[in-house]
Amino acid sequence: MEFHLYLPQMRLTPDRLAERARAAEAAGFDGIAGMDHLAPPLAEDQPMFGATITNAWLAAQTTRLTLGSLVLCDAFRHPVVLAQETVSLDHLSAGRYELGIGWGSRGGEFTTYGVAPTEPRARVRRLRETLEILRALWTGGPVDYDGEFFQLRDARQAPVPLGHIPITVGGAGPRTMELVAEYADWWNVHVGILDRFDEMRPRAGRARVSLQHMVALVPTEADRERVTATATRRFGTNGVVVGSPAELVDFFGGLRERGVERVYAWFCDFAEPATLAAFGASVIPALR
């Protein structure tokens, strides 16, 4: 089982982002991923850095971590721009970048910022066109494309990827699952569908399974009440696993037995370096 740090690039200065990325690398995490929104969900007044620029910054601060986002919103970028940004990050990180992409989880952003299309089914169709265009452009072209949303004439891109750029697709609707099976290396599962996961898994085809989960590590029993209270205050009780290292090994081990191969751990203390070190020393080795 792989463990990646999920670290939303909000409320943190560039130096603190870099500090946590380096701490995750030292602790044995396999990668790091942020979010992609035009304003932080439920915290619109908080400062936030852009997803791809932050990935470029963290690539320069690390040497081993895989970099990415959970997940980029397709409608925020023209696919030709996305193709160029992705290949640029692939080269600048020496092949450590993965493309996470979806059709958008928060409909209000589309209305607030005037992003189109707003209707979910149209956004799924647009995502399919983006994935088709990415695949075509990454061959080096030339590319002619006639779609509902995009038209390309003799389009080319250089450089091409260093190798294969892994694609993670997030979502669970019927049309999204078709895209997962056709294009994705990884299917990122929302914790809200874990009760249906075993039923849905075959629809992901050959894509491997990743899962984002909130984590509150209890270093000692004397800390349990404090850690639980902090996690509840910040994130509520739904979707948070609170536990000692042994309890977290059991919890994530259960997910591994169900076929989850990668966990994006979102720490309720905003990934304090000491927490990352403790998690890396106790939980990661037990499940690797």
Side-chain angles (χ1 to χ4, degrees):
M1 178 174 261
E2 297 181 10
F3 283 92
H4 291 221
L5 173 62
Y6 179 67
L7 186 66
Q9 63 278 12
M10 58 178 290
R11 293 194 181 97
L12 296 171
T13 65
D15 286 344
R16 292 182 72 194
L17 284 168
E19 173 194 45
R20 280 154 172 75
R22 289 192 291 265
E25 189 166 65
F29 283 78
D30 298 284
I32 186 169
M35 64 179 180
D36 186 40
H37 291 283
L38 300 177
L42 305 179
E44 288 80 2
D45 61 333
Q46 295 296 318
M48 181 188 70
F49 297 113
T52 54
I53 298 299
T54 301
N55 274 313
W57 163 248
L58 294 179
Q61 307 300 316
T62 56
T63 59
R64 183 184 55 79
L65 290 180
T66 295
L67 306 141
S69 297
L70 282 186
V71 289
L72 298 180
C73 178
D74 171 53
F76 293 169
R77 298 165 186 84
H78 191 285
V80 174
V81 174
L82 177 62
Q84 185 183 60
E85 289 180 343
T86 301
V87 171
S88 297
L89 283 165
D90 176 48
H91 281 255
L92 294 172
S93 68
R96 293 186 287 134
Y97 184 69
E98 295 184 355
L99 175 63
I101 193 165
W103 51 266
S105 61
R106 301 190 66 83
E109 279 187 296
F110 291 80
T111 302
T112 299
Y113 294 99
V115 177
T118 58
E119 197 269 323
R121 289 190 177 185
R123 301 205 309 261
V124 177
R125 296 198 304 273
R126 186 193 192 278
L127 176 57
R128 173 175 286 279
E129 292 195 9
T130 291
L131 291 167
E132 291 173 347
I133 289 170
L134 292 176
R135 179 178 285 179
L137 283 175
W138 288 346
T139 67
V143 176
D144 291 323
Y145 187 87
D146 287 293
E148 176 185 358
F149 300 96
F150 305 106
Q151 295 78 42
L152 278 63
R153 296 290 178 269
D154 198 29
R156 303 168 187 266
Q157 183 180 72
V160 297
L162 291 170
H164 175 71
I165 299 176
I167 293 177
T168 299
V169 173
R175 290 176 177 81
T176 303
M177 294 308 299
E178 292 174 4
L179 298 181
V180 170
E182 189 171 352
Y183 293 99
D185 298 277
W186 290 90
W187 171 39
N188 193 61
V189 181
H190 190 278
V191 293
I193 68 159
L194 275 179
D195 59 336
R196 297 184 290 124
F197 170 69
D198 298 328
E199 164 197 340
M200 295 184 62
R201 176 65 184 92
R203 297 166 65 182
R206 291 178 295 177
R208 302 168 72 185
V209 178
S210 65
L211 173 79
Q212 178 198 96
H213 211 294
M214 292 182 182
V215 180
L217 175 66
V218 178
T220 69
E221 280 306 307
D223 298 306
R224 185 176 292 271
E225 183 176 348
R226 173 186 59 81
V227 169
T228 302
T230 298
T232 301
R233 184 177 72 254
R234 291 175 174 171
F235 297 103
T237 58
N238 188 31
V240 179
V241 55
V242 180
S244 66
E247 289 168 336
L248 295 180
V249 168
D250 287 344
F251 177 82
F252 290 118
L255 292 176
R256 183 178 65 176
E257 290 177 1
R258 295 178 66 184
V260 176
E261 297 182 66
R262 175 186 289 178
V263 170
Y264 290 91
W266 184 0
F267 289 93
C268 294
D269 66 354
F270 306 132
E272 288 291 340
T275 299
L276 300 180
F279 190 90
S282 56
V283 179
I284 292 178
L287 293 168
R288 177 163 284 156

